[in-house]
Amino acid sequence: MNTTIVAGLLLVLLAFAYQTGWSRSTRLAPADGGRLHSRPVYHGALVAIWALAPALLILALWALFSETASRAWIIAQLPPEIAALQGVDLEDAIRRVRQIASGFGVAGETAPYENSAAQALVEFNLLTFAAAIAAAAGTGAIALWFARGRITPRLRARNEVETVVRLAMIACSVVAIMTTAGIVASLLAEAVRFFTFVNPVDFFFGTVWRPGFSSTGTGAGGQYGLLPLLWGTLMVASIAMLVSLPIGLMTAIYLSQYASPRVRDTVKPIVEILAGIPTIVYGFFALVTVGPFLSSVGQAVGLDIRAISALTAGSVMGIMIIPFISSLSDDIIRQVPKGLRDGSLGLGATQSETIRRVILPAALPGIVGAFLLAVSRAIGETMIVVLAAGNSPFLRLNPGEPVSTVTVTIVNQLTGDTDFASPQSLVAFALGLTLFAMTLVLNVAALYIVRRYREQYE
């Protein structure tokens, strides 16, 4: 309900401010007989920005401090002996009051002071919310009136709007960069804590993965060799790419070069549906259908293929990745300049020769980028591997046997009743940092290839 009211207020303020600025600017131009510096849409946008900015600021402050204010209000309503409690007991008393105030109730009998505190909390929340809405609407109206008064034929509204848009884009970029930096910093900090328990050499070059289950202060309690997990990850991802790359690339070539527009418009959305299927469905598909099928095929030809194995997980993951390669490659191939294609055909080359010697080399940077994007997707996939790979962290060369991957191990280490200060949990951050480094290397390689071949063909 509160969200609806806030959204409604902002929409009404936005629409009214824009219309006010737009209509005033259109009236000014004929009155002066001259020409406006900026078009009316920029005046409308500028007034809307002026009106929304203070309203958003007040609503953001209310969202930021309302929780703290309501907590202080609840404590003020509690009896002195309850308010004097510390730690978990005080938090439990506050939580009960909040649940009673929300209308969902609590287990067991409620004390009279809890009911009165809950009623006071409801009134407090209603009053503060109404005050915040009124303040936002009032400041927005004042800002709107001020911005409307600034509109003159010489007002550089377009410049001011573009400045605001540029600052907004810079802010979004900073948020994205800071988010990435925060993730890396958190992974790095916890990984460093893990390496105080386990030698990095033993972690990165160890061949045995056998974590123990000890608590903090009782030692590492196990062996944390990364190589079995890394080998399992690379094996499953390699099988997935062996399945997805030829199928996806051939599909893209057919759709872009041979298929009629009607066939392309029908087939491409059907292929892209594969990307929208939940990974848990792929996992069941691998567990119930693909695994037994591969096992029976192996028995028929004399090979020992387990139903739950790297081959099963990699094959199904490859099917899942096909749309990533086919759709991206299709779009990239269609972006090859028509002059290159026509020039090759005009010199007497066949269509297949044109595709092999002109179109694919010209589209190679984009295709490589799509390939590396698919590899990153395969390395980070978890659900299919959990269900179909077998979770067996051993160094094995046979893809028909169970393996385990880095992502599956992270899930295993962070689920259940574990001590988050123990090496058994901290190792998940070291594994996550390793996974991040792998994808970073892939992205750097993609950028290098794209830049090199772009210079060659442009």
Side-chain angles (χ1 to χ4, degrees), residues 199-260:
N199 191 324
V201 175
D202 296 335
F203 175 72
F204 288 108
F205 299 100
T207 58
V208 178
W209 178 264
R210 191 181 300 120
F213 292 94
S214 60
S215 299
T216 307
T218 59
Q223 294 175 280
Y224 297 86
L226 174 66
L227 292 182
L229 308 179
L230 197 59
W231 173 249
T233 301
L234 295 177
M235 181 187 291
V236 173
S238 299
I239 294 171
M241 298 315 299
L242 287 176
V243 172
S244 62
L245 181 60
I247 298 177
L249 190 56
M250 292 300 108
T251 302
I253 292 174
Y254 170 74
L255 292 177
S256 61
Q257 301 298 317
Y258 293 103
S260 64

Side-chain angles (χ1 to χ4, degrees), residues 306-366:
R306 305 278 292 275
I308 297 176
S309 63
L311 184 61
T312 302
S315 301
V316 176
M317 194 185 298
I319 296 173
M320 182 190 71
I321 293 173
I322 287 175
F324 285 85
I325 297 179
S326 64
S327 294
L328 290 175
S329 300
D330 176 40
D331 294 337
I332 292 163
I333 291 173
R334 291 172 64 84
Q335 295 300 320
V336 174
K338 192 171 183 296
L340 290 177
R341 183 186 298 106
D342 294 343
S344 175
L345 295 174
L347 290 173
T350 64
Q351 188 171 6
S352 62
E353 290 172 339
T354 300
I355 292 172
R356 285 186 289 109
R357 299 186 178 183
V358 176
I359 295 177
L360 288 182
L364 184 61

Side-chain angles (χ1 to χ4, degrees), residues 285-303:
F285 176 62
L287 196 62
V288 175
T289 305
V290 177
F293 172 74
L294 292 177
S295 180
S296 61
V297 170
Q299 291 177 357
V301 299
L303 295 176

Side-chain angles (χ1 to χ4, degrees), residues 50-412:
W50 270 89
L52 282 182
L56 288 174
L57 179 62
I58 289 178
L59 292 173
L61 291 174
W62 172 73
L64 189 63
F65 295 107
S66 61
E67 185 73 13
T68 304
S70 66
R71 173 188 169 85
W73 180 258
I74 293 173
I75 294 176
Q77 303 304 314
L78 296 175
E81 63 276 14
I82 301 297
L85 295 175
Q86 298 292 330
V88 178
D89 295 333
L90 179 61
E91 296 299 327
D92 185 62
I94 294 174
R95 179 182 56 80
R96 286 177 63 84
V97 173
R98 289 188 191 279
Q99 289 182 344
I100 296 172
S102 67
F104 291 103
V106 294
E109 295 292 332
T110 58
Y113 75 85
E114 291 179 332
N115 294 327
S116 61
Q119 181 61 33
L121 178 62
V122 171
E123 296 173 357
F124 175 80
N125 287 339
L126 183 61
L127 181 63
T128 53
F129 177 69
I133 289 295
T139 53
I142 294 173
L144 188 155
W145 175 80
F146 175 76
R148 182 180 180 277
R150 292 184 65 230
I151 296 178
T152 62
R154 302 310 306 165
L155 176 64
R156 298 176 178 270
R158 183 188 63 192
N159 299 36
E160 295 187 19
V161 170
E162 289 178 349
T163 301
V164 173
V165 172
R166 185 170 64 254
L167 292 176
M169 289 191 290
I170 292 174
C172 293
S173 302
V174 171
V175 169
I177 294 172
M178 294 303 293
T179 302
T180 305
I183 293 173
V184 174
S186 63
L187 286 176
L188 192 60
E190 299 299 332
V192 169
R193 288 183 61 195
F194 168 74
F195 289 126
T196 60
F197 293 99
V198 178
N199 191 324
V201 175
D202 296 335
F203 175 72
F204 288 108
F205 299 100
T207 58
V208 178
W209 178 264
R210 191 181 300 120
F213 292 94
S214 60
S215 299
T216 307
T218 59
Q223 294 175 280
Y224 297 86
L226 174 66
L227 292 182
L229 308 179
L230 197 59
W231 173 249
T233 301
L234 295 177
M235 181 187 291
V236 173
S238 299
I239 294 171
M241 298 315 299
L242 287 176
V243 172
S244 62
L245 181 60
I247 298 177
L249 190 56
M250 292 300 108
T251 302
I253 292 174
Y254 170 74
L255 292 177
S256 61
Q257 301 298 317
Y258 293 103
S260 64
R262 184 175 181 179
V263 173
R264 182 177 183 277
D265 294 340
T266 304
V267 173
K268 187 174 181 180
I270 295 175
V271 174
E272 291 176 345
I273 289 176
L274 292 173
I277 297 176
T279 55
I280 185 69
V281 177
Y282 279 109
F284 279 119
F285 176 62
L287 196 62
V288 175
T289 305
V290 177
F293 172 74
L294 292 177
S295 180
S296 61
V297 170
Q299 291 177 357
V301 299
L303 295 176
D304 182 18
I305 300 177
R306 305 278 292 275
I308 297 176
S309 63
L311 184 61
T312 302
S315 301
V316 176
M317 194 185 298
I319 296 173
M320 182 190 71
I321 293 173
I322 287 175
F324 285 85
I325 297 179
S326 64
S327 294
L328 290 175
S329 300
D330 176 40
D331 294 337
I332 292 163
I333 291 173
R334 291 172 64 84
Q335 295 300 320
V336 174
K338 192 171 183 296
L340 290 177
R341 183 186 298 106
D342 294 343
S344 175
L345 295 174
L347 290 173
T350 64
Q351 188 171 6
S352 62
E353 290 172 339
T354 300
I355 292 172
R356 285 186 289 109
R357 299 186 178 183
V358 176
I359 295 177
L360 288 182
L364 184 61
I367 293 175
V368 171
F371 172 76
L372 293 178
L373 178 64
V375 172
S376 300
R377 181 73 177 84
I379 290 176
E381 171 53 33
T382 305
M383 191 55 68
I384 296 175
V385 187
V386 168
L387 294 176
N391 190 22
S392 181
F394 297 100
L395 274 174
R396 289 166 171 156
L397 298 177
N398 185 1
E401 294 183 350
V403 296
S404 186
T405 65
V406 174
T407 55
V408 172
T409 306
I410 292 174
V411 173
N412 291 335

Side-chain angles (χ1 to χ4, degrees), residues 422-452:
S422 66
Q424 289 76 27
S425 296
L426 293 175
V427 68
F429 296 95
L431 293 172
L433 190 63
T434 305
L435 208 58
F436 176 82
M438 292 171 64
T439 54
L440 181 63
V441 169
L442 287 174
N443 289 332
V444 171
L447 287 176
Y448 172 76
I449 294 172
V450 168
R451 288 178 179 176
R452 178 176 179 181

